[in-house]
Amino acid sequence: MMLAQRPGPWGGAIAVALLCFWANRAWAQAPALAQPQSGGSAQAFVFAGLSLETTRAQLRQRYPQDYANGHTLEVAPERAQAHIHQIEIASPDGSGRGRLRLGFERRALISTDGRVLRPAAYPRCAVIERQLTSLFGAPASSREFIEGDTDGLMNRVLVWERRLPQLPPDQHVERLYLQCGRSKGERRFWAFSMEVSRSAR
């Protein structure tokens, strides 16, 4: 029997685009961020060995069985580390410009006749938040909100920030967004993705 993996209810391109859009909007509307601790102000965000400096060659070397082409890859469940199942690097040369996106969705396993053999799954938001907090300290801001026609999906966006004065002016501030959500009636938030990007401020 041939099997296929399919995105879960929130794993499609539309859901990702909405989350990214509202994450950025949440950042714009959030209170001013606390200044990062001086001890870590010059260190870029690195999670599970991945950062904005990760190159295409490094990605191919790390996941030779999964790498196909371009800047993105789907990691096989048996090789996933730190709950990371999708990786989109910022740029092929590791210049730090662009966006690093790590997806936490373990795709649903679907039979050729359409039966769901294994539903899509996500790690708990609290688990990923604890990992990030242990690495980078408490988040600078967080926000929960329901937006648009999402059947009551509650979004939760946490933001970490670091200043990198040693980099070019357009990369002086690096931000990490953890994007979580829970459906109507659920109590737990689930981690959907994590994104890292840089800007002038």
Side-chain angles (χ1 to χ4, degrees):
M1 176 184 299
M2 294 184 63
L3 305 178
Q5 291 191 332
R6 183 177 299 170
W10 303 314
I14 295 177
V16 170
L18 282 172
L19 285 171
C20 295
F21 174 80
W22 292 115
N24 288 319
R25 177 172 171 174
W27 161 252
Q29 296 178 349
L33 297 179
Q35 294 296 321
Q37 297 179 356
S38 59
S41 61
Q43 300 298 318
F45 291 116
V46 179
F47 183 74
L50 299 164
S51 72
L52 285 172
E53 278 74 37
T54 299
T55 66
R56 182 184 297 172
Q58 291 171 337
L59 203 61
R60 185 187 298 112
Q61 182 178 20
R62 180 169 173 171
Y63 298 101
Q65 296 168 282
D66 302 302
Y67 187 85
N69 197 9
H71 303 171
T72 64
L73 80 91
E74 185 87 20
V75 181
E78 63 271 18
R79 288 186 289 277
Q81 301 173 347
H83 302 286
I84 299 170
H85 293 271
Q86 300 85 34
I87 302 172
E88 178 184 338
I89 61 174
S91 60
D93 60 356
S95 66
R97 289 177 169 82
R99 176 190 71 167
L100 170 72
R101 182 181 182 278
L102 307 177
F104 299 122
E105 180 188 15
R106 187 192 69 182
R107 306 294 196 192
L109 193 62
I110 310 295
S111 67
T112 52
D113 59 1
R115 289 182 296 118
V116 178
L117 304 178
R118 184 191 67 205
Y122 304 85
R124 290 181 59 184
C125 185
V127 170
I128 305 299
E129 180 182 353
R130 281 196 298 269
Q131 292 177 339
L132 294 174
T133 298
S134 69
L135 291 169
F136 312 124
S141 68
S142 65
R143 186 180 178 220
E144 296 181 9
F145 55 95
I146 298 176
E147 294 285 356
D149 185 16
T150 56
D151 295 325
L153 176 67
M154 174 68 76
N155 297 279
R156 184 167 188 242
V157 179
L158 297 98
V159 184
W160 284 259
E161 180 189 71
R162 285 193 169 177
R163 301 187 185 280
L164 307 173
Q166 74 274 21
L167 295 182
D170 63 339
Q171 299 188 62
H172 274 182
V173 178
E174 184 169 291
R175 295 188 183 94
L176 184 156
Y177 300 87
L178 175 61
Q179 300 167 350
C180 303
R182 61 176 171 83
S183 61
K184 188 176 182 179
E186 281 192 303
R187 299 180 62 184
R188 293 179 176 176
F189 281 93
W190 306 100
F192 296 158
S193 65
M194 186 179 80
E195 295 186 8
V196 182
S197 61
R198 291 176 184 162
S199 65
R201 60 183 179 85

